[in-house]
Amino acid sequence: MILVFKLISGEEVISSATKTAENSYELDNPATIVIQQTEKGMGVALMPYMPYAAGTITLNNHSVASFAEP
């Protein structure tokens, strides 16, 4: 399932996510959502989240402020 996470740090992450038995999430190929100024106004960009990590990333449930389906 694809989810958007708002982390307690303020970052927003979008990823294919699977909830684990430990109440964390396994993220596959996550990306950070970035709002940026463009010539035509505000735009949205995606940047890799933890680009140097190999495999899936475990997101601790305590780091998540909220989440939803995009």
Side-chain angles (χ1 to χ4, degrees), residues 38-56:
T38 67
E39 293 176 2
K40 297 180 181 179
M42 299 303 287
V44 176
L46 297 176
M47 296 175 48
Y49 180 72
M50 295 181 62
Y52 303 110
T56 60

Side-chain angles (χ1 to χ4, degrees), residues 5-41:
F5 296 91
K6 178 74 167 189
L7 306 183
I8 59 173
S9 63
E11 294 173 288
E12 292 185 7
V13 177
I14 186 167
S15 179
S16 173
T18 305
K19 190 162 185 148
T20 67
E22 296 84 30
N23 288 328
S24 59
Y25 292 91
E26 291 292 324
L27 306 182
D28 185 32
N29 199 22
T32 301
I33 302 169
V34 181
I35 307 297
Q36 61 185 14
Q37 183 69 37
T38 67
E39 293 176 2
K40 297 180 181 179

